[in-house]
Amino acid sequence: MRLLERMRKEWFMIGIVLAIAGAKLEPSIGVNGGPLKPEITVSYIAVATIFFNSGLSLKTEELTSALVHIKLHLFIQIFTLAFFPATIWLFLQLLSITPINEWLLKGLQTVGCMPPPVSSAVILTKAVGGNEGIVVTPLLLLLFIVRRYIKDWLERKKPPFGAVSSCVLLTIIYTTFCDTFSNPNIDLDKFSLLLVLFIIFSIQLSFMLLTFLFSTRNNSGFTPADTVAIIFCSTHKSLTLGIPMLKIVFAGHEHLSLISVPLLIYHPVQILLGSVLVPTIKSWMVSRQKGVKLTRPTV
């Protein structure tokens, strides 16, 4: 019974494994020109559905609250979209002399350029009790406006935005790997895969520590709740938005699936690492907040 509950909770991770396995067993179904017609259903319909669905799932009432935290917003955006990719690029210059598969390294670079996710960052930040109102993706602001006009309907019906996006995403992953397994010239060695897994784990842990140290300096101006938002939002990368973006940018590229592998690894690692650290970070935040209250002068 406990196993079934766990499987229900982790159905998306299981779905990724099954999608890749299905692509390995019968790649002809999801290749370009195949029965699924991914050149139409994925490139246009699925990708558009992902972005539209992501925008509608965000609450417009949280937008004002998020925009008030200008300093926090700037820090997360600069770290995520400037410092993160620049640091990864410098690191990859060193890794380029190693025997790691070059397309996996290119995939690591694309991971660095990805925007932060909405779902996992909010879930982990909220689990700790941090400032989740800051999680806003600028490209989705237009859909915030659309959502505002159909807010009542959305609140009444409560559409399963997360499940819809996840199912569409699994379709994209499946067709991407169908292209890979149908190409006999592509070979992925296990040594490179293990090294990339270790590198991704190390990158996430190092960046989480770096953001924690920076945001907890005496003159940083960030509250403990802000620090929690910074730790998760600055270091996490969006699989939901990332895979469709890769599908657009590298459309027709024979090594698209290899480039996608680091992002597919990064997602479960950030969930696992974040979940493990939630109790520790929550304990730290509560103790810091109590310390702040005790040091406040009484009138």
Side-chain angles (χ1 to χ4, degrees):
M1 196 67 180
R2 189 173 296 177
L3 178 61
L4 288 175
E5 289 178 5
R6 187 67 181 175
M7 290 177 67
R8 250 195 308 268
K9 188 176 180 181
E10 304 295 341
W11 71 272
F12 180 65
M13 299 296 181
I14 297 171
I16 291 178
V17 175
L18 292 177
I20 295 174
K24 175 68 174 177
L25 290 173
E26 194 57 60
S28 60
I29 296 176
V31 296
N32 284 342
L36 286 183
K37 300 291 181 184
E39 63 273 18
I40 298 173
T41 57
V42 171
S43 298
Y44 296 101
I45 300 174
V47 171
T49 300
I50 288 281
F51 284 104
F52 186 74
N53 197 49
S54 297
L56 288 181
S57 65
L58 300 177
K59 296 181 179 179
T60 52
E61 53 269 25
E62 292 179 354
L63 178 58
T64 304
S65 174
L67 293 178
V68 169
H69 300 79
I70 297 175
K71 183 179 179 180
L72 180 57
H73 228 315
L74 284 175
F75 179 87
I76 292 174
Q77 297 298 332
I78 291 172
F79 189 96
T80 303
L81 303 176
F83 179 81
F84 200 124
T87 304
I88 295 297
W89 182 83
L90 290 172
F91 184 48
L92 290 180
Q93 303 312 301
L94 298 175
L95 292 178
S96 62
I97 61 175
T98 67
I100 300 176
N101 186 290
E102 64 171 312
W103 298 106
L104 288 180
L105 293 182
K106 290 183 185 298
L108 277 175
Q109 182 64 74
T110 62
V111 168
C113 299
M114 290 298 160
V118 175
S119 56
S120 63
V122 170
I123 290 169
L124 292 171
T125 302
K126 191 175 291 186
V128 176
N131 186 354
E132 75 270 13
I134 195 65
V135 188
V136 178
T137 305
L139 293 177
L140 301 176
L141 292 182
L142 179 61
L143 289 177
F144 264 110
I145 299 172
V146 175
R147 189 187 193 281
R148 186 171 186 174
Y149 289 101
I150 56 174
K151 176 184 173 183
D152 293 337
W153 181 85
L154 291 173
E155 290 182 351
R156 190 167 59 252
K157 297 296 183 180
K158 299 187 184 302
F161 291 116
V164 171
S165 291
S166 296
C167 290
V168 174
L169 189 57
L170 288 175
T171 303
I172 296 175
I173 292 171
Y174 170 72
T175 57
T176 298
F177 277 87
C178 281
D179 286 335
T180 299
F181 294 129
S182 64
N183 188 341
N185 298 320
I186 294 180
D187 182 37
L188 176 60
D189 59 290
K190 294 178 181 177
F191 174 73
S192 293
L193 197 59
L194 288 174
L195 275 180
V196 167
L197 176 60
F198 174 75
I199 290 168
I200 286 174
F201 182 84
S202 301
I203 287 172
Q204 283 199 43
L205 201 56
S206 299
F207 279 179
M208 289 179 82
L209 179 60
L210 180 63
T211 53
F212 175 79
L213 293 174
F214 187 88
S215 60
T216 52
R217 295 180 308 159
N218 291 331
N219 60 345
S220 68
F222 294 121
T223 66
D226 291 340
T227 295
V228 173
I230 288 172
I231 290 173
F232 290 124
C233 298
S234 298
T235 60
H236 281 205
K237 295 295 180 178
S238 176
L239 179 69
T240 305
L241 299 178
I243 291 296
M245 288 169 68
L246 290 179
K247 196 75 176 178
I248 294 171
V249 175
F250 297 98
H253 200 292
E254 64 175 346
H255 293 100
L256 171 60
S257 59
L258 294 185
I259 296 172
S260 305
V261 165
L263 184 57
L264 290 172
I265 294 175
Y266 199 98
H267 178 75
V269 170
Q270 72 187 9
I271 298 296
L272 178 62
L273 192 58
S275 300
V276 168
L277 292 175
V278 160
T280 303
I281 296 175
K282 186 173 184 177
S283 177
W284 167 84
M285 191 191 75
V286 170
S287 64
R288 282 294 297 267
Q289 288 177 332
K290 286 181 178 177
V292 170
K293 289 179 181 178
L294 289 174
T295 55
R296 282 178 182 171
T298 56
V299 180

